[in-house]
Amino acid sequence: MTLAAAEPADRFYATVRSLARFWIWFFFKTVQTRHPERAPDRGPVLLCINHPNNLIDSLLVGAVVRRKVHYLATAALFRRPLLARFLRRCGAIPVYRKQDDPQTMDRNAEMFAACLEALADGRLVAIYPEGTTHAEARVQRIRTGAARIALAYEARRQSGGAGAELAVIPVGLSFEARKSFRSRVLIAFGPPVPVAPHLLQYQDDPAKAVDALTTRIQWAMESQVIHAERIEVSELVRAVDELYGQELVSRLQAERGLEATEVDPLRLARTIGDAVTYFRAHDPQRVERLWQRIQGYRALLAEHHIRDQAVRARLAGAPAARRLRASGVALIGLPIFAYGAVVNALPYLLPRWLSQRMARKETDYATVRLLSSIVAFPVFWSLEVWLVLRAAGPLPALAFALSLPTSGLVAYHYLAGFDRLGSRLRFGALALTHRQAAVRLLAERQIVAAELERARADYVAATHRPQA
C-alpha cells in the first residue's frame, strides 16, 4: 500500500514552530539530534516520548521534527477557551487523565477515536506514555495507551480499513542539567517498534497483546535515554562525569585525533552510565567504595567553598603564558561584561526568580523560566530601546538594540569564567593559609582520578568496547 500524502502545510503551526526554534536556540547551548530521519516524512507515525521536562519536551520535539506533530495533551489545559483554541490550532488532542478529573475518564474514547482518525489520514501523533512528568533520569513504567492505539490502528487496517502501515518510533530526551540556562539536551530517535508480531495475539487476547507491546515500547524508549537504574546510580554517574569527564575527553582527543567540539558529552555520559551499571552487576562493592571516596572528596570541596575545577587546574599546572592570556582576555572583556550585565540583568534575573517561586515541582522549573523569558526579554528590551530612542535618536537606538543579545551572551559566559577564577583564588588562599588542607584536597583528587582510570581500563577490557 502506498504511503498517505504528507499533511498540508499549516502556516499557523509553522509560525509557532519557528518561534519555538528561536527560543530553544536561545535557552539551550546545544540541542543534539540523533537519527531524526527515523521519523518518516510521510505516512502515519506514533512518537513515544519520555517526559522529563513538561512543556519544554513538546517544544524540543516539535522543533526537530519536520512534520506537524499532533500531541496528546492533558484535557485540563483545554478548560480555558483561549488556550484551548491555541492548542487545537497546533493540532493537540485532549487526553482525559484520572488524576485531573476521574469523572471525565469515560471521554477517553474520544481521544482514541481522534488518534485513529489522525493516523488514518497519514498524520504524526506524539504521546508521552509515562503519563506525567518526572524528575528522574530514567524512563518510568509506561502506561498502555500507546500500545492500545497502535494495535487498534493496525488491526483495523489489516481488516480493510484505510491508512498505511504505522511507524511506532521511540524518542528519548536527555537533559544535561534540567534547571540550567544554556545547558545541553539530546533528542534520540530509535528504530521503529514492530507491531505486526502482536496482531495475532491481539485477536485472541487483546489485554496480553497490549501488555507485550507496552513492554516492547518501554525497552525501546529506555534504549534512547541516558538513564540509570535508580536515582542513586544517576547521582554517581553525574559525579563521575563532573570529576572524570574532562580526562576522558582529553584521552579521546589524544587517541583519535579529535577536537574538543567533536566529542559528544552526552554520549560520554551515556557510556559512563553503562559502565556504572556494569560494575553494579559484577562488582557492587567497588561501586560502593568509589561512591564513598567521591562523597568524601566532594565534602572537602564544600567545606572550603572550592570547585573541583580549581583543584584540577592546580594539578595540571597551567603554563604562565596561558594564565597571562586568560587574564588579558578577562581585562578586555570586563567593559563588555559590565555593559551586558546592566542592560540584561532584569530580563535574566526576573524569570529565574519567578521559576523559583512558581514552579511546583522540578519538572516545571525550566518551563516557567522559558515562558517568562519569552515575555521578559522582549518587554524589557523594547522598553530600554524606547528610552534610548527618546534620549538619543534612531541610529543610537538601533545600535543599542543590536548590542543587547550579543552583550547578554558575553556577560553570561564572562560571569561563568569569573566564578571559576574566584574558585582558583580561594584555593590559592587555602594553600597559603592552610597548606595541609590544600595538600589533602590534591591528594584526594589524585586518588579518585586513579580509581576512575583503573575502572575505565577494567571496563574496556571486560566489554571489549571503546569508552565513548
Side-chain angles (χ1 to χ4, degrees), residues 105-182:
M105 286 292 292
D106 57 343
R107 296 191 61 186
N108 269 330
E110 301 175 20
M111 179 270 291
F112 278 100
C115 290
L116 294 177
E117 181 182 354
L119 295 173
D121 289 340
R123 299 180 183 179
L124 185 149
V125 175
I127 184 173
Y128 296 105
E130 293 165 301
T132 186
T133 58
H134 60 89
E136 295 189 30
R138 63 185 178 92
V139 178
Q140 300 287 294
R141 179 62 184 168
I142 69 172
R143 303 183 183 184
T144 59
R148 290 164 61 197
I149 292 170
L151 286 166
Y153 171 84
E154 281 298 305
R156 189 170 73 174
R157 188 180 70 85
Q158 294 285 351
S159 63
E165 183 178 358
L166 176 65
V168 179
I169 308 296
V171 182
L173 300 175
S174 301
F175 291 85
E176 180 184 51
R178 187 181 284 107
K179 290 186 176 182
S180 295
F181 179 67
R182 304 296 293 171

Side-chain angles (χ1 to χ4, degrees), residues 252-273:
L252 285 171
Q253 289 178 261
E255 291 179 353
R256 305 185 189 179
L258 301 175
E259 298 293 332
T261 54
E262 295 178 295
V263 179
D264 185 345
L266 289 166
R267 185 182 178 191
L268 205 60
R270 185 172 195 154
T271 303
I272 293 171

Side-chain angles (χ1 to χ4, degrees), residues 28-96:
F28 290 99
K29 181 178 180 180
T30 304
V31 177
Q32 297 178 341
T33 309
R34 285 195 191 149
H35 299 297
E37 74 282 355
R38 286 173 171 166
D41 289 333
R42 300 164 67 87
V45 178
L46 182 64
L47 298 183
C48 300
I49 315 166
N50 66 311
H51 206 8
N53 219 356
N54 212 315
L55 176 64
I56 298 287
D57 301 339
S58 299
L59 295 178
L60 285 165
V61 174
V64 301
V65 173
R66 292 185 292 267
R67 301 172 58 181
K68 183 174 182 178
V69 182
H70 296 267
Y71 290 100
L72 268 64
T74 173
L77 296 175
F78 290 79
R79 293 171 184 167
R80 298 177 181 176
L82 187 61
L83 180 58
R85 184 178 179 185
F86 172 80
L87 291 172
R88 292 187 189 281
R89 285 291 302 275
C90 290
I93 301 171
V95 57
Y96 301 89

Side-chain angles (χ1 to χ4, degrees), residues 243-317:
L243 297 176
Y244 192 58
Q246 189 58 50
E247 280 84 348
L248 288 176
V249 170
S250 299
R251 178 179 290 277
L252 285 171
Q253 289 178 261
E255 291 179 353
R256 305 185 189 179
L258 301 175
E259 298 293 332
T261 54
E262 295 178 295
V263 179
D264 185 345
L266 289 166
R267 185 182 178 191
L268 205 60
R270 185 172 195 154
T271 303
I272 293 171
D274 292 343
V276 171
T277 301
Y278 170 84
F279 283 117
R280 278 181 61 85
H282 296 85
D283 194 351
Q285 291 82 10
R286 184 176 192 173
V287 174
E288 182 63 27
R289 289 195 304 270
L290 179 59
W291 178 236
Q292 293 299 327
R293 177 68 73 176
I294 289 175
Q295 286 289 73
Y297 172 64
R298 294 170 89 183
L300 286 175
L301 292 173
E303 179 183 348
H304 300 292
H305 306 287
I306 291 171
R307 291 179 179 271
D308 172 67
Q309 182 270 342
V311 183
R312 186 169 66 242
R314 177 61 66 96
L315 286 170

Side-chain angles (χ1 to χ4, degrees), residues 367-410:
T367 297
V368 174
R369 188 167 182 178
L370 176 62
L371 293 178
S372 53
S373 295
I374 290 174
V375 175
F377 275 96
V379 167
F380 281 102
W381 282 355
S382 298
L383 178 60
E384 292 173 348
V385 170
W386 178 79
L387 290 173
V388 174
L389 178 65
R390 292 290 302 271
L395 288 179
L398 177 61
F400 176 74
L402 294 175
S403 74
L404 286 170
T406 304
S407 64
L409 289 175
V410 169

